[in-house]
Amino acid sequence: MLTKFAGVVIIAIWGFVFPSILLGLSKVFHPKNPTPTKLLTYECGLDTQGDTWVQFKVSYFMYALIFVAFDVETIFLYPWAIKFQSLGLFAIVEMFIFIAILVVGFWYAWKEGALEWM
Amino acid sequence: MQIFIDLANWLRAWILGMGISTTATELILTAVWTLVVILFVLINLIVLVWIERKSSAFMQQRRGPNRLGPAGFLQFPVDIVKVLGKEDITPAAADKFIYKIASTCAFVTAIVAIAVIPFGPGMVLENLNIGIFYFIAIGSTATLSLLMAGIASNNKYSFIGGMRTVAQMISYEIPMVFSLLGVVMLAGSLNLTDIVASQKNMWFIVPQCIAFIIYFISTVAETNRGPFDLAEGEQELVAGYFVEYGGIRWAIFMIAEYGNLVAVCAIATIMFLGGWNAPFGLTFLPPFLWFMLKVYCMIFLFMWVKWTYPRIRIDHLMHFGWKFLIPVSLANIVVTGIGIYVYRMITG
């Protein structure tokens, strides 16, 4: 098992090396002539106004919260999905109760307007 | 393709013959095959970009590229050479380090996601027993590199593009994961090779057709392709998270994007379309070619959708994901569970 994940690390290393080769090749060929105007932030010809790294609206993070709840649920659902054919009725009923609890939470978030993009 | 497996066995015997331990041999082989897969994806990219440009031209009653090579086939290789010679600009206001590594990170996530995909019997880089779960886990990290690009550029268009990408990708992640769950319940395994093997008699698109449609819609959103390409909506955000990127860094983003497209289409083929199993017993083509044929059909479907539908609004997109796809995909799991239980009760 460990050998297999070592293989994944090797693939990831290749993933880093290959773009580096492309970037290196490009470094050999491309001209290098930066001027202050060229390095300005591109905003369709106008100078940029104000700060870009601002605080983002809070409703955006509501999605993230609900996402975390659902994502944790999937971690529980996958082992269940593999084994539920051999576990019988008990496993099905139990998981439906689990999903039902989540649906109640989802319904509450929906009712409170957390799913509205404004 | 038996020839690849023979080649692997020959290479393994050759490296073992030099007195290297078994573990090291496997790792060296992995490195070699990874290079082969990267090159394979790049060759695919040439074909895919050509198909995309030609089919979009056909749908819009244009000609598309038609100067270089037969029917403009060499346009993309020439574009690569052009891109290599473009100046590499880092905006003065950008967060330099993150700006520079963002494109590389996008490529890493794409190639690491491809690692578990079996292209044919035995033709898989790492045959992990948690295959599909691994794919979902890696696929969700693709969001990060786009957010890195969006925020590090220090550009308002990029910033909004990056934020939209995250919102869109986490919203459509859930229906995608739930739609794949139905297949896992039928197959009883997370290993992709096992899942393909369990579709020998019936493709899972037949019992899981709703899941397939949900998977298709949510992966269109996951790969940021039209009609859900709000993150890079050209008319409003110029190019979204890669406004500031140019030259080879932009090209690496594009390679990663097409790599992701190949990966999600391959997963759709494995999970729903029977992988390398030949339909109706038509086994005159080797399994590898059947697999690629199905993947290309899926990719063409993606392109067809992209060039047919207009881009939708961001609030409609989020509402569709949360208020329609998630309830439907949850209902699909419940129905599948009851269906399998009833079926097993009837058949004993």
Side-chain angles (χ1 to χ4, degrees), chain B residues 83-127:
Chain B
V83 150
L84 277 174
K86 287 264 185 184
E87 187 170 358
D88 186 15
I89 297 170
T90 307
D95 185 335
K96 304 250 177 347
F97 177 66
I98 294 180
Y99 177 87
K100 281 181 175 161
I101 64 167
S103 53
T104 311
C105 286
F107 185 83
V108 172
T109 51
I111 201 70
V112 172
I114 289 175
V116 284
I117 291 171
F119 291 94
M123 288 168 61
V124 50
L125 280 179
E126 287 302 334
N127 193 10

Side-chain angles (χ1 to χ4, degrees), chain A residues 54-72:
Chain A
V54 291
Q55 290 183 334
F56 217 62
K57 57 182 178 176
V58 71
S59 71
Y60 181 82
F61 298 100
M62 296 307 290
Y63 285 105
L65 276 178
I66 311 168
F67 170 73
V68 170
F70 270 97
D71 225 27
V72 171

